[in-house]
């Protein structure tokens, strides 16, 4: 394995400037749409969405709270394809909140479908999904995404929070791994 993270990257798909510009646009959309709302709560899906959340929260012009949830996909013999489980729940009641779920990428759609179901049952004032990336070619279940940063092709992308085997989250751009580092997914 090379010592330098950048040696693993085949090419940059979305650079830092493009990311920052688009995030400001999304934040402006959210600010406008929630202009009359007091109880706005951003729920970050750990860990992939942390960098996106950090920039999005600072670009929003409405007061809001932050919460975190962790979800994991079941993997292994005999597991139901697409099944996900809750690893860490919220620390608060969301019944009167305008919830915005902040995700890194919607791939199969299973994670967001599960999150929406779980959170809707808790009767928030409203619920929306904001994902930095979407990979529609991989969708297994239909999901509504209210705010999307970029549509990406069927490539395994890393950086800006997204990992492969827990690495590359710290890159400030979205890149595609070199073929020798690409996992079969
Ligand atoms: P889902 O398939 O829509 O449930 O997505 C589940 C999770 O898989 C996402 O939140 C990401 O954390 C991860 N994921 C999906 N595609 C990629 C990718 O291209 N790079 C890194 N992580 C990914
Ligand atoms: Mg994720």
């Amino acid at each position: 394995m090379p010592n330098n993270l950048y040696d693993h990257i085949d090419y940059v798909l979305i650079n830092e400037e493009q990311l920052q510009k688009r995030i400001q646009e999304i934040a402006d959309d959210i600010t406008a749409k929630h202009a009359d709302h007091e109880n706005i709560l951003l729920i970050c899906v750990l860990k992939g969405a942390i960098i996106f959340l950090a920039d999005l929260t600072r670009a929003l012009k409405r007061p809001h709270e932050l919460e975190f949830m962790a979800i994991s996909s079941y993997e292994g013999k005999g597991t139901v394809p697409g099944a996900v489980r809750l690893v860490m729940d919220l620390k608060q009641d969301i019944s009167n909140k305008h919830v915005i779920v902040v995700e890194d990428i919607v791939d199969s759609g299973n994670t967001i479908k599960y999150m929406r179901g779980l959170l809707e049952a808790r009767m928030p004032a409203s619920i929306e999904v904001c994902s930095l990336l979407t990979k529609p070619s991989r969708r297994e279940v239909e999901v509504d995404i209210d705010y999307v940063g970029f549509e990406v092709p069927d490539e395994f992308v890393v950086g800006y929070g997204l990992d492969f085997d827990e690495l590359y989250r710290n890159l400030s751009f979205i890149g595609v791994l070199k073929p020798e580092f690409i996992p079969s997914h």
Side-chain angles (χ1 to χ4, degrees):
M1 182 175 271
N3 292 322
N4 190 332
L5 275 180
Y6 294 85
D7 295 343
H8 300 198
I9 302 300
D10 197 357
Y11 60 96
V12 175
L13 190 63
I14 309 165
N15 69 30
E16 190 174 359
E17 196 188 335
Q18 292 170 308
L19 285 169
Q20 295 305 326
K21 182 170 173 278
R22 186 73 190 112
I23 291 162
Q24 187 59 60
E25 289 169 0
I26 294 172
D28 291 345
D29 277 359
I30 295 174
T31 299
K33 207 162 164 197
H34 290 273
D36 301 326
H37 295 157
E38 295 304 326
N39 300 321
I40 303 167
L41 173 67
L42 301 195
I43 300 179
C44 173
V45 186
L46 294 173
K47 301 173 196 169
I50 56 162
I51 312 281
F52 178 37
L53 177 88
D55 283 337
L56 186 67
T57 184
R58 288 178 291 178
L60 283 175
K61 295 188 182 72
R62 292 287 302 151
H64 61 276
E65 294 178 50
L66 306 178
E67 275 281 354
F68 298 87
M69 274 177 103
I71 309 283
S72 178
S73 39
Y74 283 107
E75 272 160 35
K77 238 173 104 189
T79 53
V80 183
V84 291
R85 83 193 151 92
L86 186 60
V87 174
M88 191 188 92
D89 204 348
L90 300 173
K91 304 275 189 291
Q92 63 163 283
D93 176 24
I94 59 165
S95 56
N96 58 345
K97 308 275 165 135
H98 291 280
V99 167
I100 303 169
V101 177
V102 180
E103 248 294 28
D104 53 356
I105 185 166
V106 180
D107 188 41
S108 69
N110 289 308
T111 303
I112 280 303
K113 190 183 171 209
Y114 174 82
M115 290 275 298
R116 256 196 199 273
L118 188 79
L119 296 172
E120 266 165 15
R122 298 178 187 183
M123 311 299 250
S126 67
I127 179 162
E128 293 180 314
V129 171
C130 175
S131 184
L132 179 68
L133 307 176
T134 180
K135 218 190 268 182
S137 56
R138 300 248 310 159
R139 209 70 97 237
E140 291 168 13
V141 290
E142 215 179 294
V143 286
D144 288 334
I145 316 173
D146 301 276
Y147 312 94
V148 184
F150 299 90
E151 192 174 308
V152 296
D154 187 9
E155 301 271 19
F156 196 85
V157 294
V158 295
Y160 199 75
L162 290 103
D163 74 306
F164 169 56
D165 216 6
E166 296 301 325
L167 294 179
Y168 315 104
R169 295 192 196 275
N170 58 312
L171 298 173
S172 52
F173 55 85
I174 300 284
V176 174
L177 284 179
K178 283 184 179 160
E180 59 265 42
F181 298 106
I182 292 178
S184 51
H185 71 291

